[in-house]
Amino acid sequence: MTSRELLYVKTIANEKSISQAAKKLFIAQPSLSQSLQRIEESLGTQLFNRGTGGLTLTYAGERYYQIACQILKIYEDFETEISDINNLKTGRIFMGITNHLGTIILPKILPEFKQECPFVEIQVYEENTDRQEEKLLSGELDFAILHAPKKNPHPMLNYEILANDPFVIALAQNHPLIEKAQIKDGYPYPVLDLKLLKQEPFIMLHKEQRIRHVTDAILAQAKINPTIILTLKNYETAQSLAGQGLGITLLPSDYADITSMDCPPALLSIDETYSTGWDLCITTLKNGFLSRADQYFLSIVRKYYAPNKCK
């Protein structure tokens, strides 16, 4: 089982097509087909089901693919480590970050990083947190800057907590509940008792989004079973509709601060007894290798978002 054979099977599985995989690998399709046939014959089992919809992995194929990803990642890590030992001046970072976090974080980090490492290439993968974790597990990302899960963290991933961002309540500027909010020290906005939202209509994000996970957890602590009138994907749309009086939504205060709109909502704080926020974190594969460039990039992230860790 050579690294080339592992790469062949991994690429075919990703592309679900021998012809597409052959193009990506820059080899002839018949040659790749013969190679796959030899691999399956040597293993004594089929790795792929052949159907009209393309190639799909058998159970044995799934295990082969998982191990191939891990072994190829080890090869890649070793080559990167050797490059570091040789003090190469070039490099490449594969990092993940969500779209909205990228808007907040990258303009602070990249100018300083590029000043010190102008020839290090950075490839940024922007997707939701579930997809980022999948890419980390397959070895396609070095690290990701995400929000840590509220429950069921993946056992093969490490979540280094940097900072907490509290959630706030967004509602129409003329909503009668605003008068019931109280000004308290240490809160950026007047604080509203969450239990007063029990009869209010809610605008929610989809269940696979981490903002929704945190919102559900906060409302569960307040023993609120929300009446959901609208579910969508974009938090800015939810915030805008809340400002227009369609319903109430919860969102992180950092996101609320960077949004501008014609009819902005009023923002109210939530008492900290409700564990009101989510945790910004650096997510890596446990025992995974981080290059010198990765480590330097993350040291800048820590300087801005977890300064106490840099002392």
Side-chain angles (χ1 to χ4, degrees):
M1 190 182 299
T2 66
S3 61
R4 182 172 61 180
E5 291 173 337
L6 296 172
L7 180 60
Y8 284 177
V9 173
K10 180 175 184 284
T11 306
I12 294 170
N14 288 339
E15 298 299 320
K16 298 181 175 58
S17 161
I18 290 180
S19 60
Q20 291 301 316
K23 290 179 182 178
K24 194 163 188 178
L25 293 165
F26 301 104
I27 60 177
Q29 180 178 338
S31 176
L32 182 58
S33 296
Q34 292 169 9
S35 295
L36 177 58
Q37 184 177 354
R38 285 194 297 269
I39 294 168
E40 291 181 324
E41 287 175 353
S42 68
L43 294 171
T45 187
Q46 274 192 208
L47 298 179
F48 292 92
N49 296 309
R50 279 79 169 170
T52 56
L55 299 181
T56 59
L57 289 166
T58 63
Y59 179 75
E62 290 177 359
R63 289 295 298 138
Y64 192 105
Y65 177 82
Q66 292 166 0
I67 298 302
C69 288
Q70 294 174 20
I71 294 174
L72 290 171
K73 178 61 175 172
I74 291 171
Y75 275 128
E76 181 184 339
D77 288 346
F78 179 68
E79 291 174 353
T80 304
E81 190 170 358
I82 293 299
S83 296
D84 277 351
I85 291 172
N86 291 333
N87 293 316
L88 296 179
K89 300 295 183 181
T90 62
R92 182 181 295 133
I93 291 174
F94 295 95
M95 66 165 291
I97 195 167
T98 60
N99 284 318
H100 301 307
L101 270 180
T103 302
I104 298 169
I105 291 175
L106 294 182
K108 293 182 180 178
I109 306 303
L110 288 179
E112 182 171 341
F113 179 82
K114 278 299 182 182
Q115 185 174 356
E116 295 298 322
C117 306
F119 302 111
V120 173
E121 178 189 353
I122 302 176
Q123 294 192 12
V124 181
Y125 177 74
E126 297 172 289
E127 254 293 354
N128 63 37
T129 50
D130 288 344
R131 292 290 295 139
Q132 304 277 0
E133 291 183 349
E134 289 174 12
K135 292 288 186 181
L136 284 165
L137 292 167
S138 69
E140 296 175 70
L141 294 179
D142 301 327
F143 61 86
I145 301 173
L146 307 171
H147 288 105
K150 280 292 182 182
K151 58 182 180 179
N152 301 324
H154 198 287
M156 292 181 65
L157 295 177
N158 181 62
Y159 302 90
E160 179 191 338
I161 304 300
L162 300 175
N164 179 267
D165 182 23
F167 272 43
V168 295
I169 303 164
L171 69 176
Q173 295 278 359
N174 60 353
H175 200 291
L177 283 179
I178 294 175
E179 296 180 0
K180 297 184 179 182
Q182 300 178 355
I183 296 175
K184 293 185 179 181
D185 291 339
Y187 292 89
Y189 310 106
V191 179
L192 183 70
D193 183 353
L194 267 183
K195 294 177 181 178
L196 295 175
L197 300 179
K198 198 165 188 177
Q199 304 302 322
E200 296 295 324
F202 277 84
I203 303 168
M204 292 286 205
L205 271 63
H206 286 281
K207 288 188 175 181
E208 69 272 13
Q209 293 177 265
R210 203 142 284 180
I211 288 180
R212 174 65 180 272
H213 298 173
V214 179
T215 298
D216 287 346
I218 293 171
L219 295 178
Q221 289 182 70
K223 295 181 170 53
I224 293 176
N225 184 19
T227 299
I228 301 173
I229 61 166
L230 179 64
T231 302
L232 38 73
K233 187 174 183 180
N234 190 300
Y235 83 91
E236 291 176 299
T237 304
Q239 185 178 357
S240 177
L241 293 172
Q244 295 176 53
L246 189 64
I248 286 175
T249 195
L250 305 187
L251 71 158
S253 59
D254 275 359
Y255 285 12
D257 291 342
I258 64 169
T259 303
S260 60
M261 54 191 64
D262 294 334
C263 187
L267 300 176
L268 299 177
S269 290
I270 303 169
D271 193 279
E272 62 184 11
T273 56
Y274 288 103
S275 301
T276 61
W278 60 7
D279 296 312
L280 180 67
C281 69
I282 296 167
T283 309
T284 53
L285 190 65
K286 284 185 177 178
N287 302 317
F289 175 77
L290 292 175
S291 70
R292 198 170 295 171
D294 292 332
Q295 293 177 37
Y296 180 64
F297 187 98
L298 293 177
S299 72
I300 301 174
V301 174
R302 293 185 187 99
K303 182 174 74 172
Y304 281 95
Y305 292 96
N308 291 335
K309 292 192 175 187
C310 301
K311 293 180 180 179

